Amino acid sequence: MAERLSGIDASFLYLETPGVHMHVGGLAILDPSVRPDGRLPFEDLEDLVAQRIHMVPRFRQRVVFPPLPLGKPTWVDDERFDLSFHLRRATLPPPGGRRELAALVGRVMSRPLDRSRPLWELYLIEGLEDRHVAGLAKSHHALIDGISGMDLASVLFDFTPELQHLTPPPWHPEPPPAPGELLTRTVADQVAHPLRAVGQGLARLRRAPEEALEITRRTLAGLSSLVSAGPTPPGPFNVSVGPNRRFAMAEVGVDDAKAVKNALGGTVNDVVLATVAGALHRFLRGRRLKTSGSTLRALVPVSIRDRSQRMALGNRVSMFFVDLPVGRMGAATRLRRVTEATRELKYRHQAVAASALIALGTWAPPTLHALSARLVARQRVANLVVSNVPGPQVPLYLAGARQVATYPVMPLGPAMALSIAVTSLSGVMGFGLTADWEAVPDLEDLTGHVLESFDELGKAAAR
């Protein structure tokens, strides 16, 4: 059934340029030795996706824009859907180590997705060391966010190595709406949506006035927090971004991160932020840049998805901004400062205000919506993105191959050349670092600094 994109989902399409691609990715390292044949044939991956793709209908839909820029684009069934177009196969050159794998991921993520087809690709990468293979999923941000990405993975992954064979129901794509029909729907939706939103708001006010007033109070407090944060500090990552990407990865144990937060305080997310702050301190010193008393501002996405939206694709996200202390200090002190900063931001409801600002995009005509999205993206609102998405901490298997670790791949903004994302699965926290090719040629150094910074936190926790 044709469905209009939400305001935030449409924003990711509007933000895309030839140099800035708005797709996300996930790299899973797999050990096929637990399979009876000790390998993972490409044909088995094809069969698995063919049997389960009906569980995520959006992955057989493409984006259609209205004939005039009067409304947001629409998801429609792709009448010429061809699974073989979306499933790809690649082999690493010897020795098949981290460097070769990261280089391939960077090349794949440097290419835009084909907008005339469903906005995703899935690669099986062979030739890794230790006889491992890898799966690289690449999907447009308009289609998926971090939390719904975890839900998509749960469709393909199993909790046991035994293959679960399903018989998919027959699929008959619905014909797309005619241009005239699409235009009529678009205009009607553009008029009705703000009226509907106002009506819902008034109904909520009548039904629960105290709750409505509390939401208003939190939104105003959050807006005040956003305004009072001041200008973003200068940093080496706020440069014009091109189309080419570098990628690097690192991993630490989930239990080790929990041990740090149990000993030193804060949350696991605070531990991630403090780890990144310590790594940035080392990175800046390696570039001979000033760190004393300095901060770098991290844009931190947060999910506002509830249980009823668990399998819904699209984006249900807000954000807040954390000034990471990157000066010279002890690891415990750095974590304490991060914890205090995030606690204050939660108290001041910054994420609530950001959600309200994002929601304004659903009211605007698409031309203004696209223009405002691009204007905001070009502003230096932060120095980098730091994202942390938790997942199930149990063994997972893809077509019978055991998952060893997973690393997320994040998009960059037009003026933000570094994203650091973490995915916690099966007891491993995988750090995925994505950077502009020209701006961060020393990305591998930053990966090493992440491990050094976390090790420093672990030693402080053990004292």
Side-chain angles (χ1 to χ4, degrees):
M1 180 178 178
E3 180 182 348
R4 194 93 57 227
L5 273 73
S6 71
I8 186 171
D9 292 348
S11 293
F12 289 116
L13 289 173
Y14 300 148
L15 283 171
E16 200 160 43
T17 68
V20 179
H21 310 140
M22 286 290 118
H23 46 248
V24 298
L27 175 69
I29 310 299
L30 305 166
D31 179 6
S33 66
V34 296
R35 285 175 49 104
D37 55 3
R39 47 189 293 272
L40 176 54
F42 181 72
E43 294 74 20
D44 284 8
L45 179 62
E46 284 184 308
D47 290 343
L48 178 70
V49 178
Q51 291 173 20
R52 303 189 183 186
I53 195 169
H54 68 279
M55 301 170 71
V56 277
R58 184 63 49 76
F59 275 57
R60 288 193 289 207
Q61 293 184 318
R62 59 186 176 89
V63 173
V64 173
F65 287 83
L68 295 175
L70 298 175
K72 292 184 287 293
T74 300
W75 295 109
V76 301
D77 288 347
D78 183 12
E79 325 88 275
R80 58 188 186 118
F81 178 75
D82 182 355
L83 186 60
S84 64
F85 176 84
H86 299 272
L87 297 181
R88 315 286 176 88
R89 190 174 187 175
T91 302
L92 294 183
R98 283 175 175 265
R99 189 178 298 274
E100 291 78 21
L101 179 58
L104 175 61
V105 173
R107 287 194 297 273
V108 170
M109 301 306 289
S110 297
R111 300 192 297 263
L113 289 160
D114 183 349
R115 286 200 180 188
S116 70
R117 297 176 180 271
L119 296 173
W120 66 277
E121 298 168 357
L122 179 60
Y123 292 76
L124 179 66
I125 304 171
E126 300 165 307
L128 277 68
E129 58 188 359
D130 299 324
R131 296 187 177 182
H132 288 168
V133 296
L136 174 60
K138 174 181 169 184
S139 305
H140 202 283
H141 216 326
L143 176 68
I144 195 169
D145 64 24
I147 297 297
S148 64
M150 290 295 96
D151 288 326
L152 174 64
S154 69
V155 170
L156 295 180
F157 280 84
D158 295 307
F159 294 112
T160 64
E162 289 76 24
L163 292 175
Q164 308 293 320
H165 295 286
L166 301 178
T167 302
W171 180 65
H172 303 289
E174 292 188 7
E181 181 186 359
L182 188 61
L183 181 60
T184 301
R185 288 186 189 178
T186 296
V187 173
D189 183 71
Q190 194 66 31
V191 172
H193 182 82
L195 296 177
R196 186 167 56 248
V198 170
Q200 290 172 349
L202 291 174
R204 188 183 302 113
L205 181 60
R206 289 194 301 269
R207 186 173 60 252
E210 292 182 0
E211 179 184 346
L213 290 173
E214 176 62 15
I215 292 173
T216 302
R217 185 192 69 79
R218 292 182 181 182
T219 302
L220 293 175
L223 288 171
S224 175
S225 173
L226 288 170
V227 172
S228 64
T232 300
F237 309 120
N238 296 113
V239 297
S240 181
V241 169
N244 298 313
R245 300 288 172 264
R246 294 183 190 269
F247 181 72
M249 64 201 97
E251 63 279 332
V252 301
V254 171
D255 288 343
D256 295 332
K258 290 181 177 179
V260 170
K261 68 101 174 173
N262 290 340
L264 301 179
T267 65
V268 170
N269 197 56
D270 293 332
V271 173
V272 169
L273 291 171
T275 298
V276 171
L280 291 171
H281 165 72
R282 291 168 168 81
F283 182 81
L284 295 174
R285 285 180 61 85
R287 286 194 172 190
R288 301 186 183 278
L289 297 174
K290 176 182 177 293
T291 63
S292 179
S294 297
T295 62
L296 289 179
R297 184 165 296 166
L299 187 161
V300 182
V302 293
S303 174
I304 54 175
R305 185 181 300 273
D306 59 34
R307 290 187 178 184
S308 68
Q309 299 166 326
R310 180 176 174 270
M311 287 303 292
L313 297 182
N315 292 270
R316 310 288 196 281
V317 294
S318 185
M319 67 196 75
F320 58 88
F321 299 88
V322 184
D323 287 341
L324 302 178
V326 296
R328 184 182 181 90
M329 65 189 72
T333 300
R334 198 183 310 277
L335 175 58
R336 185 175 68 252
R337 291 191 182 181
V338 167
T339 301
E340 290 170 352
T342 57
R343 186 183 297 125
E344 176 69 12
L345 291 172
K346 292 171 186 174
Y347 174 75
R348 297 179 71 177
H349 308 295
Q350 201 178 88
V352 176
S355 294
L357 292 174
I358 291 170
L360 290 177
T362 65
W363 295 60
T367 304
L368 293 179
H369 187 180
L371 179 60
S372 62
R374 294 189 185 109
L375 286 175
V376 170
R378 291 193 185 106
Q379 307 307 307
R380 197 177 73 187
V381 297
N383 301 111
L384 72 158
V385 175
V386 182
S387 174
N388 177 33
V389 176
Q393 302 306 315
V394 295
L396 294 173
Y397 301 85
L398 179 70
R402 182 177 62 86
Q403 177 187 257
V404 176
T406 295
Y407 310 91
V409 191
M410 290 282 284
L412 304 178
M416 199 181 305
L418 176 66
S419 288
I420 300 177
V422 180
T423 299
S424 301
L425 283 171
S426 307
V428 177
M429 295 180 69
F431 284 72
L433 290 75
T434 307
D436 177 74
W437 181 271
E438 301 291 343
V440 195
D442 43 358
L443 183 64
E444 196 64 40
D445 293 343
L446 183 56
T447 309
H449 298 326
V450 166
L451 296 176
E452 294 166 358
S453 178
F454 185 81
D455 185 59
E456 189 178 45
L457 282 166
K459 289 178 180 177
R463 294 190 185 116

